[in-house]
């Protein structure tokens, strides 16, 4: 009787933990979407340090925690046993990839999203200490889609893009991009990132 009671309490605890985790997932996704739409800075520039400190380190920490403490409640012994029994190699590969995908998405949502938001806030704070610099760059192309409208250009020898409104892109979508430059007011932020203060598209003189 004590065994079943202990088992029931363990399952109940896992269920509560699962509900809390699910609610946390949803809350962070909503925060991320709202932050991206209304608060996140528009910036240009690239730096390997972002990939290391803001993306990969949080992701790896998330993977370690998810596996070490079995946050997702996966029965690894059962999974291993099922994989040993499975004869079809492609099924094994799909199963392993699916588990890794779930763990990776857990890390993205629970660790990268907060890390990225914190980085963006710090980047914004740092940029407020600096004056606006104006850069004029030839336009590479104009694009329009349901997801986003963008103006592409090269900055520091890297292809960059900035999202613009449908109203603005409609003025240039049928034009030859080679005839235009983009004038961008930027403030230096963290590392090699620049927060966009304003953007104008002008005909080349």
């Amino acid at each position: 009787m004590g065994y079943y009671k202990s088992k029931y309490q363990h399952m109940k605890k896992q269920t509560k933990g699962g509900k809390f985790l699910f609610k946390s997932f949803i809350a962070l996704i909503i925060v991320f979407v709202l932050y991206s739409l209304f608060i996140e800075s528009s910036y240009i520039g690239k730096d390997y340090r972002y990939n290391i400190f803001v993306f990969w380190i949080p992701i790896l920490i998330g993977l370690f925690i998810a596996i070490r403490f079995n946050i997702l409640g996966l029965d690894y012994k059962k999974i291993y046993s099922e994989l040993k029994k499975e004869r079809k190699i492609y099924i094994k590969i799909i199963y392993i990839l699916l588990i890794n995908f779930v763990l990776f998405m857990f890390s993205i949502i629970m660790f990268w999203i907060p890390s990225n938001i914190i980085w963006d806030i710090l980047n914004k704070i740092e940029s407020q200490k600096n004056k606006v610099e104006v850069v004029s760059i030839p336009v590479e192309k104009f694009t329009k889609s349901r997801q986003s409208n963008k103006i592409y250009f090269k900055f520091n020898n890297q292809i960059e893009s900035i999202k613009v409104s449908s109203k603005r892109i409609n003025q240039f979508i049928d034009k030859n991009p080679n005839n235009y430059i983009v004038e961008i007011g930027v403030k230096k932020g963290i590392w090699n990132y620049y927060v966009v203060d304003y953007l104008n598209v002008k005909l080349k003189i």
Side-chain angles (χ1 to χ4, degrees):
M1 185 72 180
Y3 169 79
Y4 291 108
K5 186 178 180 181
S6 175
K7 193 78 173 171
Y8 170 75
Q9 287 175 344
H10 177 69
M11 288 175 66
K12 191 175 179 182
K13 189 177 179 181
Q14 278 194 321
T15 304
K16 285 182 179 179
K19 286 180 180 179
F20 175 77
L21 191 63
F22 179 73
K23 288 178 181 178
S24 300
F25 266 51
I26 299 300
L28 278 171
I29 290 170
I30 291 170
V31 167
F32 178 69
V33 170
L34 293 176
Y35 190 89
S36 299
L37 288 174
F38 302 109
I39 302 173
E40 188 175 27
S41 308
S42 177
Y43 54 83
I44 58 175
K46 288 181 173 66
D47 196 295
Y48 71 92
R49 287 170 289 189
Y50 174 90
N51 295 329
I52 294 172
F53 296 110
V54 182
F55 186 78
W56 281 114
I57 288 179
I59 290 294
L60 292 173
I61 290 171
L63 289 172
F64 172 77
I65 290 173
I67 295 168
R68 176 66 180 82
F69 300 101
N70 198 15
I71 300 296
L72 300 177
L74 299 174
D75 190 337
Y76 291 110
K77 288 183 179 179
K78 186 177 179 181
I79 290 168
Y80 179 72
S81 176
E82 291 294 328
L83 285 172
K84 279 186 73 176
K85 292 177 187 176
E86 181 58 57
R87 293 182 180 181
K88 295 177 181 176
I89 298 296
Y90 75 92
I91 295 291
K92 290 184 178 183
I93 293 170
I94 290 171
Y95 202 66
I96 291 168
L97 288 174
L98 185 61
I99 292 169
N100 282 306
F101 175 75
V102 170
L103 291 169
F104 188 74
M105 288 309 298
F106 165 82
S107 296
I108 286 281
I109 294 168
M110 301 300 288
F111 288 83
W112 174 73
I113 286 178
S115 171
N116 187 64
I117 290 174
I118 291 167
W119 176 83
D120 183 68
I121 291 169
L122 294 175
N123 193 36
K124 199 177 294 189
I125 291 169
E126 180 63 26
S127 72
Q128 294 303 314
K129 301 174 185 177
N130 300 312
K131 294 180 180 179
V132 175
E133 304 172 39
V134 180
V135 291
S136 296
I137 313 165
V139 173
E140 293 288 321
K141 63 179 177 178
F142 302 108
T143 64
K144 182 179 179 180
S145 68
R146 289 183 179 180
Q147 287 74 34
S148 61
N149 309 302
K150 293 182 178 181
I151 298 172
Y152 286 82
F153 51 88
K154 275 188 179 179
F155 179 73
N156 289 340
N157 295 318
Q158 299 281 345
I159 291 292
E160 299 274 358
S161 66
I162 294 179
K163 291 181 182 180
V164 294
S165 65
S166 296
K167 185 178 180 181
R168 174 168 279 191
I169 204 69
N170 285 339
Q171 299 174 40
F172 305 105
I173 197 65
D174 295 323
K175 308 288 185 180
N176 183 351
N178 295 327
N179 296 330
Y180 291 86
I181 61 168
V182 60
E183 184 183 87
I184 312 171
V186 294
K187 291 181 179 180
K188 181 78 166 61
I190 297 173
W191 302 325
N192 290 314
Y193 288 92
Y194 294 79
V195 175
V196 175
D197 191 66
Y198 67 85
L199 176 146
N200 292 316
V201 180
K202 296 182 176 181
L203 272 169
K204 285 182 180 176
I205 299 173

